[in-house]
Amino acid sequence: MSTAPLQLGVIVGSTRPGRIGREVADWFAAIAERDARFETHVLDLAEIDLPLFDESSHPALGTYEHDHTRRWSELVGAMDAFVFVIPEYNGGFPASVKNAIDFLHREWRDKAAAIVSYGGGSGGLRAALMLRQVLNVLRMHAVLDAVTLRLSEHLDPERRLVPDATLDQQANRLLGELARISVPLRTLRHA
Amino acid sequence: MSTAPLQLGVIVGSTRPGRIGREVADWFAAIAERDARFETHVLDLAEIDLPLFDESSHPALGTYEHDHTRRWSELVGAMDAFVFVIPEYNGGFPASVKNAIDFLHREWRDKAAAIVSYGGGSGGLRAALMLRQVLNVLRMHAVLDAVTLRLSEHLDPERRLVPDATLDQQANRLLGELARISVPLRTLRHA
C-alpha cells in the first residue's frame, strides 16, 4: 500500500460573520500538521464561497455547468480524508455544510471522515449525528472518534477559543483512527 | 377562540434549476385553497432568494441587519402554519431549507407544521425525519400526517407530476390535522 502522506481536508463549516469556526479549525489543523501521516489543507467554506446549489444535473453525473462547482470538485477530489468542523444550528448542522456536500457526489465516496462539532451544553452533538447520517448515504466512512467541544467550557471572557490537553488528546485520537482507515480506503479508490 | 382563517405558508424548499418542487407545492396549494379554514400563501424560496446565512447576531435576538432577513421575518411572522415541501438530497433536506429556517427564530415558535416530501423509492422519508427534529428544536408542532410522494410512481414520461386520489386524500388529512392544532396554538401566541 502507498505510504504517501494522506491528504486531509479540514472543512470550516460555518460561514457566518462572527463565527468561531475558523478558530476551532485552525486549532485542529495545527495538531494535524504535527502528524506526519497527513498533509493538511484548510478548506474554508467562507473563502470557497459557493452559492446555494445551482446545478441542473444530478451531481452523481459529474457534469458540472459552473466554474465554482468544478473548482470545489477538484479540491474535494484531491483529498483522502476530511474533518468537518461544524456548529449546531437548531439541532442540525448549518446550510453551508449541506450545500457544500450536495454540490458533489463521487468526490466524497469511499473516503474517511471525522467530525469536530461545537456548541453550547451538548457540544453540537445533535448536528454531528445528523451529519453522520448524510455521510453514510454518500458512502463515506465516518470514524466513531470525534471532538465534541462545549463552548461553555472553552471560551475565555473575550470569547476566544481556549483548548486544553483533553481536547488535544481527542483530536489526536481522531487523527489516529482517521489514518488507520484512510490507508486501506485509498487502495479501494485506486483499484 | 378566533375563527379568522388560518394563514398557511406552503414553503417551496428546492431552489435548484429544473426542480419538480414548485409543481408539487402548486398541487398541494390548490387543495389547500379549496379548504375554507385556510388562506394559502406559496412561499417559494427560489423567489425569496435568501443568500447563505449572513447575520452576525443570533436570530433569537431578532435584531436583523439585512433587508432580506426583515422581509423573510415579516412573511414567516404573518403565518399560523406551514407546509414544508422538500426533496431529499443525500438522506437529508436541501441546504436551501435549513438556510431559510436558520435565518429566523421566534417567527417559527409555537406554530404548526407539516411536511410534504418527495423522492425516489422512499419518497423523501429520511429528509422528512431530519426536518422533524429541527422543527422540534424550534418549538414548532409538526403533525404526524404527511405526504410522502414517491416520484417513481407519480411522474409521467415528460417528468411532470401526476397526483392521484390517494395523494389528494393524504393532503386533505394533513390539512385537517394542521387546522385542528393551529387554532389552539394561535391562542398561545396571542396570549
Side-chain angles (χ1 to χ4, degrees):
Chain A
M1 284 197 271
S2 162
T3 54
L6 294 159
Q7 302 302 310
L8 175 66
V10 177
I11 296 177
V12 189
S14 171
T15 61
R16 77 166 183 85
R19 64 187 175 155
I20 187 92
R22 180 64 198 242
E23 261 185 79
V24 177
D26 286 344
W27 157 75
F28 184 89
I31 294 177
E33 273 158 17
R34 292 196 288 272
D35 188 324
R37 294 170 293 188
F38 295 103
E39 262 174 31
T40 301
H41 310 263
V42 173
L43 307 179
D44 186 336
L45 295 184
E47 291 166 4
I48 289 160
D49 199 24
L50 291 162
L52 270 170
F53 184 69
D54 60 352
E55 292 283 341
S56 51
S57 299
H58 194 291
L61 301 174
T63 54
Y64 303 130
E65 310 161 61
H66 299 294
D67 283 342
H68 55 252
T69 315
R70 284 189 283 266
R71 278 194 300 270
W72 180 229
S73 166
E74 215 170 291
L75 279 170
V76 172
M79 297 296 131
D80 295 302
F82 300 91
V83 170
F84 290 89
V85 180
I86 58 166
E88 181 172 293
Y89 293 175
N90 298 314
F93 50 91
S96 46
V97 176
K98 187 64 165 41
N99 194 51
I101 289 174
D102 288 341
F103 256 105
L104 307 178
H105 190 85
R106 286 173 204 214
E107 296 85 345
W108 301 114
R109 187 174 172 141
D110 282 336
K111 291 183 180 174
I115 300 172
V116 172
S117 66
Y118 55 95
S122 65
L125 194 58
R126 293 174 297 187
L129 290 174
M130 274 195 197
L131 183 54
R132 277 176 194 280
Q133 295 180 57
V134 170
L135 301 182
N136 180 250
V137 173
L138 284 160
R139 300 184 193 276
M140 297 183 80
H141 302 260
V143 302
L144 178 62
D145 306 85
V147 176
T148 309
L149 201 163
R150 289 183 192 82
L151 290 178
S152 49
E153 299 168 7
H154 292 285
L155 291 183
D156 71 12
E158 278 79 48
R159 296 191 61 77
R160 296 193 61 84
L161 182 70
V162 187
D164 61 15
T166 308
L167 280 184
D168 287 9
Q169 200 175 39
Q170 284 174 9
N172 277 307
R173 195 178 304 132
L174 179 164
L175 285 165
E177 186 62 5
L178 207 54
R180 195 177 71 87
I181 72 161
S182 293
V183 175
L185 285 173
R186 183 162 55 179
T187 68
L188 249 188
R189 293 195 308 280
H190 297 177
Chain B
M1 284 198 271
S2 163
T3 55
L6 295 159
Q7 302 302 310
L8 175 66
V10 177
I11 296 178
V12 189
S14 171
T15 61
R16 77 165 182 86
R19 64 188 174 153
I20 187 95
R22 180 65 197 241
E23 262 185 76
V24 176
D26 286 344
W27 157 74
F28 185 89
I31 294 176
E33 274 157 17
R34 292 196 288 272
D35 188 325
R37 295 170 292 189
F38 295 103
E39 261 173 32
T40 301
H41 310 264
V42 173
L43 308 179
D44 187 336
L45 295 184
E47 291 166 4
I48 289 161
D49 198 23
L50 291 163
L52 271 169
F53 184 69
D54 61 352
E55 292 282 342
S56 51
S57 298
H58 194 292
L61 302 173
T63 54
Y64 303 129
E65 309 161 61
H66 299 293
D67 282 342
H68 54 252
T69 315
R70 285 189 281 266
R71 279 195 299 269
W72 180 228
S73 166
E74 215 170 290
L75 278 171
V76 171
M79 298 296 130
D80 295 301
F82 300 91
V83 171
F84 289 89
V85 180
I86 58 164
E88 182 172 293
Y89 293 176
N90 298 314
F93 50 89
S96 45
V97 175
K98 187 66 164 41
N99 193 51
I101 289 173
D102 289 341
F103 256 105
L104 308 178
H105 190 86
R106 284 173 206 215
E107 296 85 345
W108 302 115
R109 188 176 172 139
D110 282 335
K111 292 184 180 173
I115 300 172
V116 172
S117 66
Y118 55 95
S122 67
L125 194 58
R126 293 175 297 185
L129 291 174
M130 275 194 196
L131 183 53
R132 278 177 192 279
Q133 294 179 58
V134 170
L135 301 181
N136 180 250
V137 173
L138 283 160
R139 299 184 193 275
M140 298 183 79
H141 302 260
V143 302
L144 178 62
D145 306 84
V147 176
T148 310
L149 201 163
R150 289 180 192 84
L151 291 178
S152 49
E153 299 167 8
H154 291 287
L155 290 184
D156 71 11
E158 278 79 48
R159 296 191 61 77
R160 296 193 62 84
L161 183 70
V162 187
D164 61 15
T166 308
L167 280 183
D168 288 8
Q169 200 175 40
Q170 284 174 9
N172 277 309
R173 195 177 307 133
L174 178 163
L175 285 165
E177 185 62 6
L178 207 54
R180 195 177 71 88
I181 72 163
S182 293
V183 174
L185 285 173
R186 183 162 55 180
T187 68
L188 251 189
R189 293 195 309 279
H190 297 178

